[in-house]
Amino acid sequence: MKRIAVGEHSLFFDPSTYNLWRVEAPEAEPPVDHPQREELVTAEVHVPTELNKLTLLISELCNFSCLYCCGNAYAKGQPMSRDILELALDRFMAIYRGQVRAIMFFGGEPMLNQPVLWHAMDRARALATRHDQPPPSFSMVSNGSLFTPAVVRRLADYRVRVTVSLDGPARVHDRQRLTRDGRPTHALVTEGIARLRAAGVITNVEVTYSLRHREAGVTVLDTIQHAHEYGAGEVHLMPVCGDFPGLTPTDEELAGMVAEFRAAARYSIESLAGDSPVILASAFRVVEVLSLRVQMPQLCFAGANSATVHADGNVYPCYLLRDPSQWMGNIADAEFVDAFPIRSAGYRNKPKQDFAQCAECWANKICFSCYGVEFPRHKRLMPPRPAFCSVQKGIMEGALEGVAALRSDPMAWKRALDNIVK
């Protein structure tokens, strides 16, 4: 059981049951019948079995040259062809009998291959209908620079959720995210976000938090508030990973960020009771786990509940795991439909408990982490190093604090629930 000290009281989280309690006795761990025990969250658990997400890397080309891009480590290939796209959709829809619930377009910059983008959505809808399944949802991760009025209208028609990379205020963003010829991009990106929102496209923001933010005095909370000011529905924010001098924090520097991430997570969850919630995605995920009871037995979705098809047809668990050791086949292989489920089972049957670091952690039942944090460096599947985990646990602690604060105020809790439903 995890104890989280919050002022004059304590929160206790039981990861085996997802129960959350508050006790007005911070020095002791409460028995079930503790007279000051207030039960905040309790319910049953179920485990997802569907393929949650198919990522299509439809373009390995990009018109930006960002300092921390993981794609810089790979040879630039060609855009995905129409033939590869059709084969990928046909194969995965066959494997899962149309139950591919979400398709994400990724790159590079996916907007550099628009013919394949539009065709992919038409074909995916038709295949789902053929299998008597609802159409998948569509999303995209983009640098935000190519959203002309005509493009935005089509994205709105297809109901694509768009996540745009925006690394905070211009004084930070423009030092990290540049065009190929070195020009700043903050104004270009925020203009694209404004067009998306004006057309009614659900728009989220992805932030890579680096040492440049620290140098500029831009806190974690400053960064998510900046994204919110531009209309972000959700903010996906994590420290930069990989070996990027001047950008990647050391373990000691990560330790100094934990309190900021924890405070930002609590602020985000408490903001659910307001008129304009500021959603930090990693904090909100804790609320989803507590409310929906979607348990993730694996450390990471990659391979178990998701797959990524690259432009050449090669399939990997995730774009961050693009390595021969993690190859899951090529969609052009005659045996792919039969072989892929077997290869996927290898990831599905790798529970968190296989890692001592996770098995001993209080948060392992609510944690959604990422193999990609350490894989580029070590070339094996493993949890993030302890310093990075401390940031993630700080977010979870802050989220639990936020839930407890909302539950203590019936009116605030009702407003939060109303906003969650919306």
Side-chain angles (χ1 to χ4, degrees), residues 65-89:
S65 183
C66 302
L67 300 187
Y68 52 75
C69 181
C70 61
N72 292 334
Y74 307 128
K76 294 295 187 291
Q78 298 297 316
M80 181 179 286
S81 70
R82 185 184 176 106
D83 288 344
I84 292 290
L85 176 278
E86 290 183 353
L87 193 54
L89 289 175

Side-chain angles (χ1 to χ4, degrees), residues 4-6 9-11 20-22 38 40-41 261-274 278 283-284 286-287 290 362 393-410 412-417 420:
I4 304 173
V6 185
H9 62 271
S10 287
L11 300 179
L20 178 66
W21 301 284
R22 179 176 44 232
E38 180 185 359
L40 300 176
V41 177
F261 275 91
R262 178 173 171 172
R266 175 168 181 165
Y267 173 88
S268 172
I269 299 306
E270 290 191 27
S271 78
L272 287 169
V278 181
F284 189 70
V286 175
V287 176
L290 294 176
W362 68 267
K393 285 186 281 190
I395 292 171
M396 288 181 274
E397 290 177 3
L400 292 172
E401 292 173 20
V403 170
L406 291 175
R407 293 288 280 125
S408 67
D409 182 340
W413 182 242
K414 182 180 184 304
R415 289 193 298 271
L417 292 177
I420 290 171

Side-chain angles (χ1 to χ4, degrees), residues 257-333:
M257 298 179 187
V258 172
E260 278 192 26
F261 275 91
R262 178 173 171 172
R266 175 168 181 165
Y267 173 88
S268 172
I269 299 306
E270 290 191 27
S271 78
L272 287 169
D275 294 331
S276 183
V278 181
I279 305 300
L280 179 61
S282 51
F284 189 70
R285 189 175 294 158
V286 175
V287 176
E288 292 179 320
V289 170
L290 294 176
S291 59
L292 300 177
R293 295 309 187 268
V294 179
Q295 180 179 332
M296 180 63 179
Q298 297 83 19
L299 179 141
C300 178
F301 280 114
N305 289 314
S306 68
T308 298
V309 183
H310 286 254
D312 58 5
N314 283 319
V315 179
Y316 299 92
C318 169
Y319 70 96
L320 290 170
L321 306 183
R322 186 177 180 177
D323 185 82
S325 65
Q326 306 304 317
W327 183 73
M328 302 182 78
N330 188 289
I331 50 94
D333 297 338

Side-chain angles (χ1 to χ4, degrees), residues 6 86 97 137 149 169 176 204 242-243 251-252 278 307 322 324 326 342 353 392 399 406 410:
V6 185
E86 290 183 353
R97 299 179 182 178
S137 63
Q176 299 188 163
N204 301 320
D243 296 318
D251 287 356
E252 292 76 16
V278 181
R322 186 177 180 177
Q326 306 304 317
I342 298 171
Q353 280 67 23
Q392 293 180 301
L406 291 175

Side-chain angles (χ1 to χ4, degrees), residues 219-233:
T219 67
V220 173
L221 184 56
D222 292 337
T223 308
I224 65 173
Q225 287 177 329
H226 174 268
H228 182 68
E229 289 169 4
Y230 281 96

Side-chain angles (χ1 to χ4, degrees), residues 55 169 177 189 215 227 284:
T55 299
R177 301 188 60 81
V189 172
E215 293 169 4
F284 189 70

Side-chain angles (χ1 to χ4, degrees), residues 93 97-99 101 124-135:
M93 286 292 188
R97 299 179 182 178
Q99 297 182 78
R101 297 309 184 196
R125 286 175 170 176
L127 288 170
T129 299
R130 190 179 304 170
H131 286 279
D132 198 27
Q133 292 291 328

